[in-house]
Amino acid sequence: MRHPVLATALALLACAPQAQADTYPSRMVTIVIPFPAGGGVDVLTRAVAAELSRKWNQPVVVENKAGAGSLIGAGYVAKAAADGYTLMGTVNQTITTNPFLYKKLPYDPIRSFAPVQLMVQSDMLIIANPKLQANNLKELVGLARKEPQKHNFGSFGNGSQPHLLFAQFNQRADMDLLHVPYSGIAPLLTALVGGEVEVSTGSAGVAGELIKAGKLKALAVVGDHRSPMFPQVPTAAESGYPYLRASIWYALFAPHGTSKQIVDKIHTDVKEILDNPDFAEKQINAKALRLVAGGPEQLAAVIREETAQMAEMVKAAGVKPE
């Protein structure tokens, strides 16, 4: 016969996660952004945090812990208590790209975090200098094959998204666009507009005004959907290159071991905020982002699929982890 004191203790332990979820949050919640302030994921997460503060009647603050390609902030969250009071708002680079770029990470992209909420996605455009004698992907491939190593693409560094995408494109399409790396997206866009490089990638939010002003042109969307800002621009799949896929997504994570009840509560409340038409119009649609609002399972599935795709792209680019 089970000892009554032991039975009571076991019952209390069984109820603890639910009790914790029922009172969550009872104090300040911190969302760590592993990038500098002012970026897209930082701006959206701050807007979500403000709404959560009102909904929860508790302060929800955003703290930037930038550096080393998001390794510092992500490493900090990975070591935080799994109680829901420290979360991470980040982009796919942290989870699906960094493992291929660095030999040692201060976190495990799968085992260190619990997926909470896939918030939005920004599909990328293949953009070009207006003088490039190609107005779509087939024309670009034809031009590059006709004049090998004469044409080039720009990126914001070895292992960056445009580098990996075009390395895969070179390999699959049997062409040879030369790689010209820059130190960031701003100098890359300047080089594109000035004609130093001919083609690259950029989100509608970043490159949209330059395209509208005629300083750049869009050849294709390397995502699953046409851009609401440029509905006339076909996707890469529609153009005959379905393997060309690249996007930036913003998501929330908790430290591994955070109870399912707390994860589900955060997901439910954040999704309600994202689904609010007024919030979506001001914070998502106006910034050329696409609402996804996927839960933990959908985010985990996206990570699995993208990690496999990234492995192929890194191999094509010949990128070795540092």
Side-chain angles (χ1 to χ4, degrees), residues 18-77:
Q18 186 59 55
Q20 186 184 34
D22 289 343
T23 60
Y24 175 86
S26 58
R27 54 185 172 86
M28 183 177 77
V29 176
T30 299
I31 305 178
V32 173
I33 305 292
F35 298 101
V41 66
D42 178 73
V43 172
L44 179 64
T45 303
R46 287 179 186 276
V48 169
E51 294 299 319
L52 285 175
S53 295
R54 285 188 276 271
K55 182 181 287 287
W56 290 344
N57 199 29
Q58 294 289 346
V60 181
V61 300
V62 173
E63 183 177 350
N64 298 91
K65 289 186 178 292
S70 79
L71 300 190
I72 293 174
Y76 175 86
V77 175

Side-chain angles (χ1 to χ4, degrees), residues 249-270:
W249 45 254
Y250 306 167
L252 288 176
F253 294 84
H256 175 75
T258 303
S259 74
K260 184 179 185 301
Q261 291 89 346
I262 288 179
V263 167
D264 287 345
K265 176 175 176 53
I266 299 169
H267 155 61
T268 298
D269 290 347
V270 171

Side-chain angles (χ1 to χ4, degrees), residues 2 8 19 29 37 48 52 154 177 187 193 208 210 215 238 243 246 250 290 300 309:
R2 181 177 289 177
T8 301
V29 176
V48 169
L52 285 175
L177 293 172
V193 171
L210 293 172
K215 295 180 179 180
E238 291 172 327
Y243 55 85
Y250 306 167
R290 182 162 55 83
Q309 179 191 8

Side-chain angles (χ1 to χ4, degrees), residues 63-185:
E63 183 177 350
N64 298 91
K65 289 186 178 292
S70 79
L71 300 190
I72 293 174
Y76 175 86
V77 175
K79 296 176 178 65
D83 55 10
Y85 289 94
T86 301
L87 307 173
M88 176 172 68
T90 193
V91 301
N92 36 344
Q93 172 188 330
T94 304
I95 306 298
T96 63
T97 305
N98 282 351
F100 297 100
L101 302 184
Y102 300 96
K103 289 180 180 178
K104 290 186 178 181
L105 296 177
Y107 60 90
D108 184 297
I110 304 301
R111 296 183 178 90
S112 294
F113 307 112
V116 176
Q117 180 71 48
L118 180 60
M119 297 190 289
V120 299
Q121 186 169 331
S122 176
D123 290 327
M124 306 299 287
L125 300 165
I126 291 184
I127 51 179
N129 182 278
K131 294 182 180 178
L132 180 70
Q133 297 299 305
N135 294 309
N136 55 57
L137 294 187
K138 286 188 177 179
E139 290 180 0
L140 175 62
V141 170
L143 191 66
R145 286 176 176 171
K146 182 180 179 181
E147 302 172 312
Q149 295 195 337
K150 180 179 178 181
H151 302 281
N152 57 38
F153 71 92
S155 80
F156 37 90
N158 288 325
S160 63
Q161 191 179 72
H163 177 208
L164 298 178
L165 182 82
F166 277 98
Q168 183 189 38
F169 198 11
N170 269 340
Q171 186 181 69
R172 290 276 200 114
D174 190 27
M175 60 182 184
D176 195 1
L177 293 172
L178 297 178
H179 177 212
V180 183
Y182 289 83
S183 60
I185 185 65

